[in-house]
Amino acid sequence: MAIFINEPSHTFNEYLLIPGYSSSQCIPANVSLKTPLVKFKKGEESAITMNIPMVSAIMQSVSGDRLAVALATEGGVSFIYGSQTIEDEAAMVSRAKNYKAGFVVSGSNVTPDSTLADVVALKEQNGYSTVAVTDDGTANGKLLGIVTSRDYRVSRMELSTKVSEFMTPLEKLVTAPEGTTLKIANDIIWDNKLNSLPIVNSEGKLCYFVFRKDYDMHKQNPNELLDADKRYVVGAGINTRDYAERVPALVEAGADVLCIDSSEGFSEWQKLTIQWIRERYGDTVKVGAGNVVDADGFRFLADCGADFIKVGIGGGSICITRETKGIGRGQATALIEVCKARDEYFKETGVYVPVCSDGGIVYDHHITLALAMGADFVMLGRYFARFDESPTNKVNIGGTYYKEYWGEGSSRARNWMRYDLGGDKKLSFEEGVDSYVPYAGTLKDNVALTLSKVKSTMCNCGALTIPELQQKAKLTLVSSTSIVEGGAHDVIQKEKTTAIK
């Protein structure tokens, strides 16, 4: 007979934190959000410790190389999506890993015969204000000049104007030869009051740009998550089908950590994938697994050797797995049970396996709740899809800007391998939707605001670290009436607009 769990499973919105004693030291400036990304033994430290408890979802509409750089700059890790060719994913990883080295491959390129309209379209597409002009319009073509925002005025020029008419030509540029060190490149930038310095080889072909802002960014971003070579830490998604080809390519590209991307991880497919990695790389290649929603699933993947384990089935904003297949569990209940199993596993084995809460985050305070319930970090999709750095288009609908956002189980993504159960290589039915999310600006500004809320709530609980929060937190279930009471009610709110005088 089937096993029945008669107590309802709960979501984050059904819980509140009860404030605890706050000492005079409990101020946001004193809060540390450092958290382990991969497993470690008792008395040791994790091989990768993040400075903030946030990672981005393994999704086409979320995690490209631009977002990987932006999130690592803030102290988190992005998992570049695996539902693309092995070559393309490895190239994304490589671009992100090489970015912080200071030598940046040009992301926007045109030919002299391109038009102002092409330049404007490129800037709208990727946000880059420096455009390289090369003979063939590629990032490594012969450099003929550059275009920056100082070279044109859209309001005073025809969009059909050729780039050759307004670009800054090569003879007026300061360049440096291939092999120039980053220190010397930065000295040239400062001595010549430049914003960017093209690096060219002996044949005059563009190799890289070095940007003044990269030097400034390093000083302004103390939470940057860097590897031993001062490059950004970057993650990448894999599947349980082509791992024998994909994993070596991603490792060669420099990926610091991998994660099996699957809607349901309690399977032999994940065991075989982890086993293959361990046999060939030992513990040098870090790989997360999931997703699971109970203690049995956690224990299985922990015994398989997963470096971290993701929790959550069906709780994502674009996920319809529960609706189409009838499997899943309320995210809060699933997380509480798995984290309890994680602690028991640690007591038994002396191995701490970090838990990632994946899905169900609607409001910023849900992140704090997830951490209090035991999560070491959270994986976010919709949250990051809203930002400039996500790979999707920004569209104007009825005067309001949105970003496109679709699930890996949607027909648009066609990521059949994520939902593969060993059958045909096709997506038989959808487990995700195609949608829009309100555009929210830059990742940096939004992450800073979100984490300020997390830190403030932690202080209310008398905690200055995530482990301390998990030890001291008191959580209470709330009724539906209490949820209504928690928001503005019984008042007529003023319009949130500024009156024109």
Side-chain angles (χ1 to χ4, degrees):
M1 185 175 178
I3 296 173
F4 289 87
I5 300 175
N6 292 317
E7 180 179 333
S9 61
H10 299 285
T11 65
F12 292 133
N13 221 35
E14 295 175 80
Y15 283 91
L16 286 174
L17 281 158
I18 297 175
Y21 170 73
S22 301
S23 72
S24 60
Q25 295 299 308
C26 284
I27 59 174
N30 291 338
V31 173
S32 169
L33 295 176
K34 288 183 179 294
T35 192
L37 177 61
V38 296
K39 69 182 180 183
F40 57 94
K41 294 179 180 179
K42 187 175 182 179
E44 299 180 357
E45 292 186 1
S46 175
I48 304 175
T49 298
M50 296 189 294
N51 293 321
I52 63 172
M54 303 171 79
V55 301
S56 68
I58 311 169
M59 301 175 69
Q60 293 175 1
S61 56
V62 178
S63 298
D65 49 300
R66 284 190 66 206
L67 194 119
V69 168
L71 185 51
T73 300
E74 300 307 310
V77 173
S78 184
F79 285 89
I80 290 174
Y81 66 93
S83 52
Q84 57 180 321
T85 66
I86 295 172
E87 293 75 19
D88 287 346
E89 185 181 9
M92 278 193 175
V93 170
S94 180
R95 285 197 296 271
K97 289 299 296 182
N98 290 325
Y99 187 92
K100 192 50 197 176
F103 297 96
V104 183
V105 175
S106 179
S108 292
N109 309 283
V110 295
T111 67
D113 290 331
S114 300
T115 64
L116 176 58
D118 297 323
V119 173
V120 172
L122 276 174
K123 186 173 182 180
E124 289 180 352
Q125 177 182 331
N126 57 34
Y128 299 153
S129 58
T130 300
V131 179
V133 184
T134 59
D135 60 344
D136 58 3
T138 68
N140 299 116
K142 188 173 182 179
L143 182 65
L144 303 177
I146 65 170
V147 173
T148 70
S149 56
R150 293 180 298 182
D151 292 315
Y152 61 88
R153 291 282 295 276
V154 175
S155 60
R156 296 187 180 184
M157 296 169 60
E158 295 291 333
L159 290 176
S160 58
T161 306
K162 293 287 184 67
V163 166
S164 58
E165 296 180 32
F166 61 88
M167 71 180 188
T168 300
L170 178 62
E171 56 266 23
K172 292 185 178 182
L173 295 177
V174 176
T175 65
E178 186 178 20
T180 301
T181 66
L182 186 57
K183 183 182 185 304
I184 292 176
N186 280 318
D187 288 342
I188 294 172
I189 287 173
W190 284 97
D191 292 342
N192 293 275
K193 299 180 180 180
L194 306 174
N195 287 322
S196 64
L197 176 69
I199 307 295
V200 296
N201 65 18
S202 58
E203 298 176 353
K205 293 185 176 181
L206 178 63
C207 301
Y208 309 100
F209 276 109
V210 177
F211 292 98
R212 172 191 290 263
K213 65 180 177 63
D214 285 348
Y215 179 85
D216 295 337
M217 280 176 60
H218 177 65
K219 299 301 181 183
Q220 296 168 9
N221 297 287
N223 278 335
E224 284 180 320
L225 191 59
L226 308 175
D227 65 16
D229 297 318
K230 304 298 182 182
R231 301 183 302 172
Y232 283 129
V233 173
V234 178
I238 62 173
N239 61 71
T240 58
R241 280 280 187 166
D242 64 7
Y243 54 84
E245 295 79 33
R246 190 173 295 267
V247 170
L250 296 176
V251 171
E252 177 67 23
D256 298 276
V257 56
L258 307 176
C259 184
I260 302 172
D261 183 27
S262 174
S263 64
E264 202 280 299
F266 195 175
S267 74
E268 187 177 9
W269 300 110
Q270 296 217 2
K271 178 180 180 180
L272 294 172
T273 303
I274 297 171
Q275 182 178 309
W276 186 91
I277 292 173
R278 293 290 174 252
E279 288 174 351
R280 285 156 181 78
Y281 297 97
D283 290 328
T284 61
V285 171
K286 309 301 182 183
V287 55
N291 288 19
V292 298
V293 292
D294 65 4
D296 291 340
F298 171 86
R299 188 78 190 211
F300 172 78
L301 290 178
D303 288 340
C304 287
D307 284 292
F308 67 85
I309 293 172
K310 291 201 296 164
V311 177
I313 294 177
S317 59
I318 41 69
C319 184
I320 54 173
T321 295
R322 298 179 192 176
E323 185 178 329
T324 57
K325 297 176 68 174
I327 65 168
R329 199 176 195 185
Q331 186 66 11
T333 299
L335 183 60
I336 291 168
E337 180 175 319
V338 169
C339 289
K340 181 181 179 182
R342 183 267 320 277
D343 294 342
E344 292 173 351
Y345 188 84
F346 180 53
K347 288 180 181 178
E348 292 177 25
T349 66
V351 177
Y352 186 91
V353 182
V355 167
C356 169
S357 180
D358 179 16
I361 302 291
V362 180
Y363 305 109
D364 288 344
H365 76 269
H366 288 172
I367 297 175
T368 320
L369 285 169
L371 297 174
M373 291 173 181
D376 296 281
F377 54 95
V378 297
M379 177 171 277
L380 303 163
R382 179 193 60 85
Y383 179 90
F384 288 117
R386 305 173 299 149
F387 304 149
D388 286 320
E389 295 86 356
S390 73
T392 63
N393 294 319
K394 183 171 69 173
V395 296
N396 188 313
I397 303 175
T400 301
Y401 280 105
Y402 297 87
K403 292 274 284 186
E404 294 180 297
Y405 180 47
W406 60 92
E408 288 298 293
S410 68
S411 180
R412 180 172 184 174
R414 297 189 177 278
N415 186 7
W416 65 271
M417 288 178 286
R418 187 175 199 273
Y419 301 87
D420 178 40
L421 294 175
D424 295 332
K425 296 183 179 181
K426 64 180 181 179
L427 192 67
S428 300
F429 55 87
E430 292 184 288
E431 292 188 45
V433 300
D434 195 349
S435 64
Y436 297 103
V437 289
Y439 168 66
T442 65
L443 180 147
K444 183 179 182 65
D445 290 343
N446 283 275
V447 166
L449 177 60
T450 294
L451 294 182
S452 70
K453 296 177 184 178
V454 172
K455 290 180 178 181
S456 179
T457 305
M458 288 174 63
C459 289
N460 292 141
C461 297
L464 294 177
T465 66
I466 292 173
E468 190 177 8
L469 174 67
Q470 294 166 349
Q471 181 182 14
K472 292 184 175 181
K474 291 187 289 185
L475 296 112
T476 180
L477 276 167
V478 296
S479 67
S480 57
T481 305
S482 295
I483 295 173
V484 173
E485 180 186 60
H489 60 88
D490 300 316
V491 295
I492 299 173
Q493 294 193 67
K494 295 180 180 179
E495 293 287 339
K496 294 182 179 180
T497 56
T498 303
I500 300 175
K501 296 181 180 180

